[in-house]
Amino acid sequence: QVQLQESGPGLVKPSETLSLTCSVSGGSISNYYWSWIRQPPGKGLEWIAYIYYTGRTTYNPSLKSRVTISVDTSKSQFSLKLSSVTAADTAVYYCARQPAAMYYFDSWGQGTLVTVSS
Amino acid sequence: DIQMTQSPSSLSASVGDRVTITCRASQTISSYLSWYQQKPGKAPKLLIYAASSLQRGVPSRFSGSGSGTDFTLTISSLQPEDFATYYCQQSYSTPLTFGGGTKVEIK
Protein backbone atom coordinates (compact mmCIF):
# COMPACT_ATOMS: atom_id res chain seq x y z
CA GLN A 1 0.00 0.00 0.00
CA VAL A 2 1.66 3.20 -1.17
CA GLN A 3 1.89 6.02 1.35
CA LEU A 4 2.52 9.69 0.65
CA GLN A 5 3.72 12.22 3.23
CA GLU A 6 4.03 15.96 2.75
CA SER A 7 6.65 17.94 4.61
CA GLY A 8 7.74 21.56 4.76
CA PRO A 9 7.27 24.82 6.66
CA GLY A 10 3.78 25.55 7.95
CA LEU A 11 4.31 29.30 7.85
CA VAL A 12 5.67 31.34 4.94
CA LYS A 13 6.03 35.12 4.73
CA PRO A 14 4.34 37.08 1.94
CA SER A 15 6.48 37.43 -1.21
CA GLU A 16 8.63 34.44 -0.22
CA THR A 17 8.73 30.95 -1.74
CA LEU A 18 6.70 28.06 -0.42
CA SER A 19 8.60 24.76 -0.59
CA LEU A 20 7.10 21.34 0.06
CA THR A 21 8.28 17.78 -0.42
CA CYS A 22 6.24 14.61 -0.80
CA SER A 23 7.87 11.34 0.25
CA VAL A 24 6.57 8.16 -1.35
CA SER A 25 6.86 4.86 0.50
CA GLY A 26 5.46 1.36 0.14
CA GLY A 27 5.57 1.52 -3.63
CA SER A 28 7.60 2.68 -6.59
CA ILE A 29 7.71 6.28 -7.77
CA SER A 30 8.36 4.96 -11.28
CA ASN A 31 5.64 4.63 -13.91
CA TYR A 32 3.27 7.00 -12.14
CA TYR A 33 2.33 10.67 -12.32
CA TRP A 34 2.53 12.71 -9.15
CA SER A 35 0.44 15.78 -8.43
CA TRP A 36 0.14 18.67 -6.03
CA ILE A 37 -3.38 19.81 -5.12
CA ARG A 38 -4.42 22.51 -2.66
CA GLN A 39 -7.51 23.43 -0.69
CA PRO A 40 -7.95 26.84 0.94
CA PRO A 41 -9.65 26.63 4.35
CA GLY A 42 -13.34 25.91 3.91
CA LYS A 43 -13.10 25.87 0.11
CA GLY A 44 -12.76 23.43 -2.77
CA LEU A 45 -9.87 21.63 -4.42
CA GLU A 46 -7.45 23.13 -6.95
CA TRP A 47 -4.99 21.07 -8.96
CA ILE A 48 -1.58 22.76 -9.16
CA ALA A 49 0.66 20.54 -11.32
CA TYR A 50 1.82 17.02 -12.01
CA ILE A 51 5.14 15.41 -12.84
CA TYR A 52 5.98 12.05 -14.38
CA TYR A 53 8.81 10.10 -12.79
CA THR A 54 10.92 10.93 -15.87
CA GLY A 55 10.61 14.62 -15.02
CA ARG A 56 7.97 15.62 -17.58
CA THR A 57 5.72 18.30 -16.09
CA THR A 58 2.33 19.90 -16.67
CA TYR A 59 1.18 22.98 -14.77
CA ASN A 60 -2.12 24.70 -14.11
CA PRO A 61 -1.92 27.85 -16.26
CA SER A 62 -3.36 29.91 -13.40
CA LEU A 63 -0.24 29.21 -11.32
CA LYS A 64 2.32 28.29 -13.97
CA SER A 65 4.37 31.48 -13.70
CA ARG A 66 5.02 30.85 -9.99
CA VAL A 67 5.24 27.05 -9.75
CA THR A 68 8.09 24.59 -10.13
CA ILE A 69 7.66 20.87 -9.56
CA SER A 70 10.54 18.41 -9.52
CA VAL A 71 11.21 14.74 -8.80
CA ASP A 72 14.08 12.86 -7.16
CA THR A 73 13.61 9.18 -7.96
CA SER A 74 16.66 8.16 -5.88
CA LYS A 75 14.89 9.47 -2.78
CA SER A 76 11.34 8.58 -3.91
CA GLN A 77 10.36 12.21 -3.45
CA PHE A 78 8.84 14.99 -5.48
CA SER A 79 8.69 18.64 -4.60
CA LEU A 80 6.73 21.84 -5.07
CA LYS A 81 7.99 25.40 -5.09
CA LEU A 82 5.52 28.29 -5.26
CA SER A 83 7.07 31.74 -5.47
CA SER A 84 5.85 35.20 -4.53
CA VAL A 85 3.19 33.88 -2.18
CA THR A 86 0.31 35.94 -0.82
CA ALA A 87 -2.42 35.27 1.73
CA ALA A 88 -4.45 33.76 -1.12
CA ASP A 89 -1.97 30.88 -1.20
CA THR A 90 -2.88 29.84 2.35
CA ALA A 91 -4.22 26.32 2.00
CA VAL A 92 -3.85 22.67 2.84
CA TYR A 93 -1.46 21.25 0.25
CA TYR A 94 -1.87 17.61 -0.75
CA CYS A 95 0.35 15.39 -2.83
CA ALA A 96 -1.35 12.62 -4.78
CA ARG A 97 -0.66 9.78 -7.22
CA GLN A 98 -2.16 9.26 -10.66
CA PRO A 99 -1.90 5.96 -12.53
CA ALA A 100 -1.62 7.95 -15.77
CA ALA A 101 -1.56 11.57 -16.86
CA MET A 102 -5.24 12.09 -17.66
CA TYR A 103 -6.47 10.05 -14.76
CA TYR A 104 -7.84 10.10 -11.26
CA PHE A 105 -5.96 10.50 -7.97
CA ASP A 106 -5.90 7.10 -6.31
CA SER A 107 -3.64 7.80 -3.33
CA TRP A 108 -3.27 11.00 -1.33
CA GLY A 109 -1.03 12.34 1.39
CA GLN A 110 -2.65 13.51 4.60
CA GLY A 111 -2.11 17.15 3.62
CA THR A 112 -0.16 19.95 5.22
CA LEU A 113 -1.48 23.39 6.10
CA VAL A 114 0.65 26.25 4.85
CA THR A 115 -0.22 29.70 6.15
CA VAL A 116 1.09 32.81 4.43
CA SER A 117 1.49 35.55 6.99
CA SER A 118 4.07 38.01 8.23
CA ASP B 1 -10.69 25.36 -18.61
CA ILE B 2 -13.51 22.85 -18.14
CA GLN B 3 -15.88 24.00 -15.41
CA MET B 4 -17.45 21.34 -13.21
CA THR B 5 -20.75 22.25 -11.55
CA GLN B 6 -22.17 20.10 -8.77
CA SER B 7 -25.68 20.15 -7.42
CA PRO B 8 -26.91 20.49 -4.86
CA SER B 9 -24.17 22.24 -2.89
CA SER B 10 -25.55 20.65 0.25
CA LEU B 11 -28.27 18.25 1.27
CA SER B 12 -29.77 16.79 4.41
CA ALA B 13 -30.63 13.11 4.48
CA SER B 14 -31.35 10.31 6.90
CA VAL B 15 -29.62 6.99 7.37
CA GLY B 16 -31.04 4.57 4.84
CA ASP B 17 -31.98 7.23 2.32
CA ARG B 18 -31.05 7.01 -1.34
CA VAL B 19 -28.90 10.04 -2.21
CA THR B 20 -28.08 11.37 -5.67
CA ILE B 21 -25.50 14.05 -6.48
CA THR B 22 -25.07 15.46 -9.96
CA CYS B 23 -22.06 16.91 -11.73
CA ARG B 24 -22.17 18.76 -15.03
CA ALA B 25 -19.16 19.58 -17.20
CA SER B 26 -19.00 22.75 -19.28
CA GLN B 27 -18.01 20.64 -22.31
CA THR B 28 -17.92 16.97 -23.12
CA ILE B 29 -15.44 14.94 -21.08
CA SER B 30 -16.40 11.47 -22.33
CA SER B 31 -16.10 9.27 -19.20
CA TYR B 32 -13.08 11.02 -17.68
CA LEU B 33 -14.92 11.68 -14.43
CA SER B 34 -14.05 10.68 -10.89
CA TRP B 35 -15.79 11.05 -7.53
CA TYR B 36 -14.15 11.61 -4.15
CA GLN B 37 -15.35 11.62 -0.55
CA GLN B 38 -13.77 14.00 1.95
CA LYS B 39 -14.32 14.03 5.68
CA PRO B 40 -13.31 17.00 7.87
CA GLY B 41 -9.56 17.23 8.36
CA LYS B 42 -8.88 14.35 6.00
CA ALA B 43 -7.65 13.96 2.45
CA PRO B 44 -10.14 13.14 -0.28
CA LYS B 45 -10.71 9.45 -0.94
CA LEU B 46 -11.32 8.06 -4.44
CA LEU B 47 -14.72 6.38 -4.77
CA ILE B 48 -15.46 6.13 -8.50
CA TYR B 49 -13.28 6.52 -11.59
CA ALA B 50 -14.03 6.45 -15.30
CA ALA B 51 -17.54 7.65 -14.41
CA SER B 52 -18.79 4.26 -13.21
CA SER B 53 -15.92 2.07 -12.03
CA LEU B 54 -15.88 1.38 -8.30
CA GLN B 55 -12.48 1.83 -6.66
CA ARG B 56 -11.25 -1.29 -4.88
CA GLY B 57 -12.43 -1.41 -1.28
CA VAL B 58 -15.28 1.06 -1.73
CA PRO B 59 -18.70 -0.27 -0.63
CA SER B 60 -21.07 -1.28 -3.41
CA ARG B 61 -23.74 1.15 -2.18
CA PHE B 62 -21.78 3.78 -4.08
CA SER B 63 -22.31 3.92 -7.83
CA GLY B 64 -21.62 6.34 -10.65
CA SER B 65 -23.17 6.90 -14.04
CA GLY B 66 -23.12 9.24 -16.99
CA SER B 67 -20.99 10.27 -19.92
CA GLY B 68 -20.42 13.37 -22.00
CA THR B 69 -21.40 16.29 -19.79
CA ASP B 70 -23.80 14.90 -17.17
CA PHE B 71 -22.84 12.56 -14.35
CA THR B 72 -24.39 11.17 -11.19
CA LEU B 73 -23.10 9.73 -7.93
CA THR B 74 -25.65 7.61 -6.08
CA ILE B 75 -25.50 6.26 -2.56
CA SER B 76 -28.16 3.56 -2.46
CA SER B 77 -28.62 3.46 1.33
CA LEU B 78 -26.90 6.20 3.27
CA GLN B 79 -24.83 5.01 6.21
CA PRO B 80 -23.59 7.07 9.20
CA GLU B 81 -20.03 7.02 7.87
CA ASP B 82 -21.17 8.52 4.54
CA PHE B 83 -21.81 11.98 5.95
CA ALA B 84 -19.08 13.95 4.22
CA THR B 85 -18.39 16.26 1.30
CA TYR B 86 -18.28 14.77 -2.19
CA TYR B 87 -16.34 16.16 -5.16
CA CYS B 88 -16.34 15.31 -8.83
CA GLN B 89 -13.19 15.78 -10.95
CA GLN B 90 -12.57 15.74 -14.68
CA SER B 91 -9.40 14.35 -16.21
CA TYR B 92 -10.29 14.93 -19.88
CA SER B 93 -7.98 17.90 -20.25
CA THR B 94 -5.62 20.06 -18.24
CA PRO B 95 -6.00 21.93 -16.06
CA LEU B 96 -7.58 19.08 -14.13
CA THR B 97 -10.59 20.57 -12.37
CA PHE B 98 -12.93 19.71 -9.52
CA GLY B 99 -16.55 20.51 -8.81
CA GLY B 100 -17.37 22.81 -5.92
CA GLY B 101 -18.45 19.96 -3.65
CA THR B 102 -21.67 18.63 -2.16
CA LYS B 103 -21.93 18.43 1.61
CA VAL B 104 -24.12 15.57 2.81
CA GLU B 105 -25.45 16.30 6.30
CA ILE B 106 -27.57 14.42 8.79
CA LYS B 107 -31.25 15.30 8.77
Side-chain angles (χ1 to χ4, degrees):
Chain A
Q1 179 80 355
V2 67
Q3 293 188 317
L4 290 76
Q5 178 68 57
E6 304 90 349
S7 60
L11 180 64
V12 182
K13 290 182 168 55
S15 79
E16 295 190 344
T17 296
L18 178 161
S19 296
L20 296 173
T21 297
C22 182
S23 299
V24 179
S25 60
S28 175
I29 200 168
S30 299
N31 302 312
Y32 288 96
Y33 288 77
W34 303 92
S35 270
W36 287 99
I37 297 156
R38 70 180 183 178
Q39 185 172 38
K43 296 189 177 181
L45 298 157
E46 179 181 33
W47 171 74
I48 300 169
Y50 66 60
I51 188 166
Y52 194 42
Y53 77 102
T54 57
R56 185 172 76 85
T57 58
T58 299
Y59 296 100
N60 189 325
S62 68
L63 295 166
K64 185 175 183 178
S65 63
R66 298 194 292 132
V67 173
T68 302
I69 187 172
S70 59
V71 64
D72 185 338
T73 55
S74 67
K75 295 182 179 179
S76 288
Q77 294 178 336
F78 63 104
S79 299
L80 171 73
K81 291 187 185 299
L82 179 64
S83 65
S84 305
V85 298
T86 70
D89 295 309
T90 294
V92 175
Y93 286 75
Y94 294 101
C95 55
R97 187 183 78 170
Q98 295 164 252
M102 303 313 295
Y103 253 52
Y104 45 86
F105 306 103
D106 66 351
S107 294
W108 295 65
Q110 65 185 26
T112 187
L113 174 63
V114 179
T115 301
V116 178
S117 175
S118 56
Chain B
D1 298 8
I2 297 176
Q3 308 302 318
M4 306 301 293
T5 303
Q6 287 183 235
S7 61
S9 56
S10 66
L11 64 90
S12 296
S14 300
V15 172
D17 284 354
R18 182 181 182 88
V19 169
T20 299
I21 299 168
T22 63
C23 179
R24 174 165 288 176
S26 60
Q27 64 187 74
T28 183
I29 58 170
S30 184
S31 295
Y32 289 89
L33 191 283
S34 306
W35 290 98
Y36 301 84
Q37 176 193 68
Q38 186 179 34
K39 296 182 178 179
K42 301 294 187 181
K45 172 188 173 184
L46 177 66
L47 300 175
I48 301 285
Y49 62 94
S52 60
S53 295
L54 192 68
Q55 173 69 348
R56 187 171 58 247
V58 174
S60 58
R61 63 180 179 273
F62 291 93
S63 64
S65 64
S67 66
T69 60
D70 294 318
F71 301 86
T72 299
L73 173 70
T74 299
I75 309 172
S76 60
S77 178
L78 197 65
Q79 297 301 300
E81 61 268 29
D82 301 336
F83 292 95
T85 300
Y86 293 84
Y87 293 93
C88 60
Q89 176 245 326
Q90 66 82 18
S91 53
Y92 182 80
S93 67
T94 56
L96 308 178
T97 49
F98 293 85
T102 296
K103 187 173 184 179
V104 177
E105 299 176 301
I106 302 172
K107 181 182 286 185

